[in-house]
Amino acid sequence: LHELAADNKHKEGASACLLVNDENPRLPEWIAYHYHTLPLRSLTVAVDPSSRSSPLDILRRWNDTGLMEMQLWNDDDYLHELAANGAKKKRIEVTPDVLGHRKRQNHFINKCMLDFKRRNKQWVLLIDVDEYITFNRIDDNNPEPDFPVEKAPDGISTLMDWTWYSSDGVIEGWIDTLPSP
């Protein structure tokens, strides 16, 4: 799965970086949903070494369709320091606790985003497979957006709302209610 499409037909659409640990039951639905909703066209998946399962067969099924570009990474693909010439220099050690997981996650996200930047990808999701991106729900029965247009900042005619579906439940909010950095 490390081979990438030479014709770059997957340039348009969204990309995602996923670090998974025994997520095979959720992964097929997550990929299919985001393929159709975003559209997700490039996906890099890293498997936590404590995982008892591999997503290889699931990713291979999507990769074989030619509809998406998939990469499966292991620790050797992203847990190393680079020399000035880009060569792998030194393996980064991580502990098997929460701090080690966060370190692994940070290194994976950094390397994954750099890889997508190198490939000129425009939109990259940093998300888990129990989280889904949703869009404004407008249909024939509800022709108005789920937010009042008057809440939009000056000069912006629409305001995006968001819904976060996770294993902890559903959280909804407005883009303008996010805490400031």
Side-chain angles (χ1 to χ4, degrees):
L1 285 179
H2 278 284
E3 298 299 317
L4 297 176
D7 61 6
N8 205 18
K9 67 181 176 183
H10 304 289
K11 185 173 181 178
E12 299 299 321
S15 305
C17 302
L18 292 175
L19 178 60
V20 298
N21 187 344
D22 293 325
E23 298 289 356
N24 286 2
R26 293 182 179 148
L27 192 57
E29 179 183 355
W30 187 94
I31 294 171
Y33 173 87
H34 288 94
Y35 172 82
H36 290 286
T37 303
L38 291 180
L40 182 66
R41 295 297 181 260
S42 300
L43 177 63
T44 298
V45 176
V47 180
D48 189 286
S50 67
S51 183
R52 296 176 308 269
S53 61
S54 169
L56 180 61
D57 289 339
I58 296 165
L59 300 179
R60 189 174 284 143
R61 277 183 290 185
W62 274 94
N63 205 54
D64 289 348
T65 67
L67 298 172
M68 287 183 66
E69 167 179 86
M70 303 278 190
Q71 293 189 94
L72 181 60
W73 287 1
N74 61 40
D75 283 0
D76 290 334
D77 294 308
Y78 62 92
L79 277 180
H80 55 269
E81 294 176 7
L82 295 177
N85 65 0
K88 291 181 183 179
K89 185 174 158 183
K90 176 181 148 190
R91 168 81 180 216
I92 296 167
E93 297 300 320
V94 293
T95 55
D97 57 6
V98 172
L99 292 176
H101 173 74
R102 289 188 181 141
K103 187 175 186 178
R104 172 178 278 108
Q105 189 175 38
N106 285 336
H107 281 278
F108 168 65
I109 286 169
N110 286 332
K111 293 286 170 57
C112 184
M113 289 185 62
L114 284 171
D115 180 60
F116 281 133
K117 181 179 180 179
R118 179 187 57 79
R119 295 190 286 146
N120 297 315
K121 302 298 180 177
Q122 301 287 321
W123 295 92
V124 179
L125 293 173
L126 305 176
I127 192 169
D128 292 329
V129 294
D130 65 345
E131 301 165 351
Y132 287 77
I133 300 294
T134 64
F135 290 96
N136 210 8
R137 296 165 299 278
I138 300 174
D139 60 33
D140 292 338
N141 296 326
N142 180 18
E144 294 297 318
D146 289 343
F147 57 82
V149 175
E150 60 272 7
K151 285 196 70 160
D154 290 338
I156 299 175
S157 58
T158 60
L159 180 67
M160 185 173 72
D161 66 338
W162 52 270
T163 304
W164 181 356
Y165 297 89
S166 77
S167 56
D168 294 330
V170 177
I171 304 167
E172 295 191 64
W174 300 96
I175 202 72
D176 67 343
T177 60
L178 295 175
S180 299

